[in-house]
Amino acid sequence: MATDTFDVIVIGAGHNGLVCSNYLSRAGLKVLVLEAAAQAGGACITRSFSEGFAVSACAHSVSQLHPDIVGDLGLESLGLQYAVKNLKTIALSEDGNHLSILGERVEGAQLSDSDRQAYGIFYNRTKRFAAVLANLAGKCPPRLVEGGLTEKLSLFKLGLDIRMLGKTEMREFMRIATINIFDVLEEQFENPLLKGAISFDAVLGAHMGPRSPNTVLAYIHRQMGSLFGFAGPALPQGGMGTVTQAIARAAVANKVDIRYNCPVKEITIDHGRAVGVVLQDGSTYSAAQIVSNADPGTTFKGLVGYPKLDSGFARRVENIRTKSDCAKLHLTLDGLPEFTGSSDAGQRMLIAPDAAYVERAFNHSKYGEYSSAPAMEILIPSVHDASLAPQGKHVMSIIVQYAPFMLRTGWDTQSKQAFTNIIVQRLARYAPNLPGLIIDSELLTPQDIEQEFRITGGHWHHCELALDQIAMMRPVYGATRYSTPIEGLYLCGAGCHPGGNVMGMAGKNSAAAIIKGRST
Ligand SMILES: Cc1cc2nc3c(=O)[nH]c(=O)nc-3n(C[C@H](O)[C@H](O)[C@H](O)COP(=O)(O)OP(=O)(O)OC[C@H]3O[C@@H](n4cnc5c(N)ncnc54)[C@H](O)[C@@H]3O)c2cc1C
């Protein structure tokens, strides 16, 4: 039986758990991180599925990593380098008349001047709206009621940020935030490829189609990256694991004790207070504070247990929307695929030829089916990074929407192969030589992601990003602002404000809330 005592135990060495532990340790606390997996990173790792190749297993590009975290933790001097930054988004067209999008600019032979102009306006407007979210992302969201002076000031600042948009923009912000991206795009653009690409970005990682509410909000959330220095996605040299390895190195340098292969079975509660953890192997550890990087479902249902929680709160946790529709396909290739009409397979490519295509792809998942014509985000990181594949060969990483968490017929080898075939056939419409290049493949369904990465529902953000599950309402009433109904138990993962993506702010804000809590 282990007897070590720590000030804080962090459950999980995902990037947010590691960021949190860094800041806690820098504040002078003795921190232990217990990670179930054999390596750091959670859903942000590089791993191999086919000999000689490596791939970023879930997250495959950086578009929101907060510059404060990179600077505070000195990540660049600890190994974080990018193979390429600011990838263009190529909205693929079967006939080769693609669109190319970067920042506020969109180019394409069949694009009208009015769409080109309208896109610049749309981009800059949503960027201004994203600035309101980005300000909020950098701090613990204020309480709506019963707050102290600091929170009242925070709430006032949020109101002021919205007010400072100006009368017209404020009205537009309030208007579009509550409708869906499909309608907004219909109002502003003609080009179907452009509408397809924007709508794809508004539904990425979500159980939503372009006609769903909350899609404008999701798009604006994604736009925060442009304020953190990412006009387009970046690929870390060595894959996404490089990001988390650098954060882990910073943690070790900050004297954080990180232990791998340590799955936590239970959070120990004594007189309503979290006082320690029990591992699967029975060893126990105690600490004054326990922080969970695991998703809210895993934390409350799995590690605390509903019987130890108020039944109303347990019911609310059970109702958090966590079911993902997002699959990941990895292909190892015997050469570089040739995309019709494009000589640059190193950019971010989308198959989302129009917003209605994306909506139709979503329809299937509502009824427990995978899309017969899926929407996709395609990267070939080995174009920029020779460490990921043997010379002359390549690895392709594809985010595929939509694959429901609960497939009506069940996910098994057969259904996974059938869905893989559909995806490859769809890709071949754009890159006809692709099927002949495939050496090996790996499809991760949301259920696979749940199992391998221990994320309830396999959800990109640990739980849906929607108006009822953001900011001071995230993830659920009773467990907002990083604290929970159990005294001494905190959250620090993507399920907290400001949500998922490899950003690190949930971990940083959580550490600040814990440190503040200790001093009051
Ligand atoms: C398919 C897919 C593609 C994505 N693509 C991108 C992308 O391109 N770019 C991007 O920015 N984001 C992307 N994301 C989102 C991003 O990966 C996540 O939002 C982010 O990794 C969440 O980080 P986290 O540290 O909060 O949680 P996680 O990464 O989930 O880490 C939680 C950690 O806790 C550990 N843990 C859980 N339970 C226990 C336990 N009982 N005991 C001990 N340890 C435990 C887990 O093993 C894990 O290491 C993607 C997500 C998915 C699913």
Side-chain angles (χ1 to χ4, degrees):
M1 177 186 295
T3 52
D4 295 347
T5 302
F6 295 86
D7 293 319
V8 184
I9 292 172
V10 178
I11 302 169
H15 83 286
N16 275 315
L18 291 170
V19 166
C20 184
S21 66
N22 265 288
Y23 285 100
L24 291 173
S25 189
R26 282 155 55 120
L29 301 174
K30 192 176 171 200
V31 183
L32 171 68
V33 177
L34 295 168
E35 168 55 51
Q39 63 168 315
C44 180
I45 56 165
T46 308
R47 67 151 168 69
S48 178
F49 72 97
S50 182
E51 208 185 327
F53 295 86
V55 72
S56 300
C58 272
H60 66 177
S61 67
V62 177
S63 56
Q64 288 197 331
L65 183 59
H66 201 285
D68 284 0
I69 284 159
V70 177
D72 288 353
L73 306 185
L75 299 186
E76 283 169 2
S77 62
L78 291 167
L80 173 60
Q81 301 296 330
Y82 290 104
V84 63
K85 277 175 142 176
N86 291 329
L87 291 179
K88 289 179 188 157
T89 290
I90 310 295
L92 293 172
S93 166
E94 280 188 47
D95 64 6
N97 277 308
H98 314 309
L99 289 187
S100 161
I101 306 169
L102 180 63
E104 62 182 349
R105 291 173 66 87
V106 54
E107 302 295 339
Q110 295 185 342
L111 195 71
S112 67
D113 280 346
S114 82
D115 265 356
R116 199 173 285 119
Q117 241 179 357
Y119 181 71
I121 293 168
F122 176 79
Y123 178 88
N124 286 310
R125 171 173 270 165
T126 49
K127 189 172 170 179
R128 283 194 294 279
F129 297 164
V132 176
L133 290 193
N135 282 342
L136 193 60
K139 53 192 171 220
C140 185
R143 278 193 191 92
L144 276 177
V145 285
E146 296 168 13
L149 182 63
T150 323
E151 285 156 45
K152 286 196 176 103
L153 285 175
S154 261
L155 213 50
F156 176 72
K157 173 79 175 55
L158 174 61
L160 193 66
D161 282 349
I162 297 176
R163 190 73 188 85
M164 290 298 281
L165 289 170
K167 201 166 157 188
T168 315
E169 292 294 82
M170 186 177 75
R171 205 179 293 139
E172 186 62 3
F173 181 58
M174 308 301 259
R175 183 183 79 87
I176 68 171
T178 51
I179 58 176
N180 63 65
I181 198 81
F182 190 98
D183 290 345
V184 172
L185 297 175
E186 283 303 299
E187 283 171 4
Q188 305 191 18
F189 303 106
E190 295 157 358
N191 188 290
L193 272 181
L194 184 56
K195 291 190 268 190
I198 298 173
S199 66
F200 183 83
D201 279 348
V203 299
L204 195 52
H207 177 72
M208 300 186 218
R211 287 183 187 272
S212 306
N214 292 302
T215 38
V216 175
L217 177 76
Y219 183 82
I220 295 172
H221 186 277
R222 190 174 163 79
Q223 264 282 43
M224 278 198 291
S226 63
L227 293 142
F228 302 159
F230 298 93
L235 304 181
Q237 178 73 31
M240 293 295 282
T242 301
V243 180
T244 28
Q245 290 302 329
I247 306 174
R249 271 185 217 113
V252 170
N254 280 318
K255 301 201 169 35
V256 174
D257 185 345
I258 310 176
R259 301 188 193 174
Y260 299 106
N261 300 306
C262 287
V264 172
K265 188 175 86 183
E266 189 184 328
I267 294 171
T268 314
I269 317 279
D270 185 17
H271 291 90
R273 191 184 166 88
V275 292
V277 299
V278 184
L279 301 194
Q280 293 284 0
D281 67 6
S283 40
T284 59
Y285 296 86
S286 55
Q289 266 118 1
I290 312 297
V291 190
S292 179
N293 181 200
D295 66 87
T298 299
T299 304
F300 295 116
K301 187 174 183 176
L303 302 180
V304 174
Y306 285 161
K308 292 187 192 142
L309 291 160
D310 167 76
S311 59
F313 177 76
R315 198 171 44 248
R316 287 199 296 280
V317 171
E318 194 61 25
N319 289 337
I320 297 175
R321 297 190 302 288
T322 58
K323 300 262 185 308
S324 170
D325 276 337
C326 185
K328 188 88 189 294
L329 178 67
H330 303 136
L331 300 174
T332 53
L333 304 173
D334 201 15
L336 197 58
E338 286 163 22
F339 286 82
T340 309
S342 170
S343 54
D344 190 357
Q347 303 301 320
R348 170 188 189 241
M349 292 172 282
L350 298 185
I351 296 183
D354 60 56
Y357 174 99
V358 182
E359 184 67 28
R360 273 195 295 275
F362 174 56
N363 282 344
H364 293 266
S365 69
K366 292 183 213 163
Y367 307 106
E369 295 158 8
Y370 46 73
S371 310
S372 59
M376 302 178 217
E377 177 188 86
I378 305 145
L379 293 175
I380 312 181
S382 48
V383 170
H384 306 282
D385 184 349
S387 72
L388 302 176
Q391 204 182 0
K393 304 195 190 297
H394 286 280
V395 62
M396 195 184 233
S397 174
I398 310 155
I399 290 170
V400 191
Q401 305 228 167
Y402 295 85
F405 180 81
M406 295 294 287
L407 188 68
R408 200 161 41 81
T409 54
W411 284 113
D412 55 19
T413 316
Q414 227 181 346
S415 52
K416 284 173 72 168
Q417 190 54 56
F419 191 44
T420 301
N421 292 346
I422 285 175
I423 299 165
V424 170
Q425 279 160 19
R426 182 62 43 174
L427 285 164
R429 292 187 180 209
Y430 299 83
N433 72 334
L434 178 85
L437 296 173
I438 297 172
I439 303 168
D440 207 349
S441 72
E442 173 193 47
L443 179 73
L444 298 176
T445 68
Q447 281 186 14
D448 295 325
I449 292 169
E450 176 179 81
Q451 236 179 7
E452 181 177 342
F453 299 95
R454 300 173 188 82
I455 300 173
T456 307
H459 201 286
W460 181 299
H461 294 280
H462 284 190
C463 55
E464 205 77 352
L465 262 183
L467 276 172
D468 62 323
Q469 291 186 174
I470 57 160
M472 51 287 266
M473 270 109 62
R474 189 163 179 84
V476 70
Y477 174 65
T480 58
R481 308 172 78 251
Y482 313 102
S483 64
T484 72
I486 309 274
E487 213 185 319
L489 176 62
Y490 294 82
L491 301 177
C492 74
C496 310
H497 169 78
N501 288 336
V502 179
M503 187 195 298
M505 292 316 278
K508 182 174 188 228
N509 294 344
S510 173
I514 293 161
I515 293 162
K516 190 171 167 211
R518 286 178 71 97
S519 65
T520 51

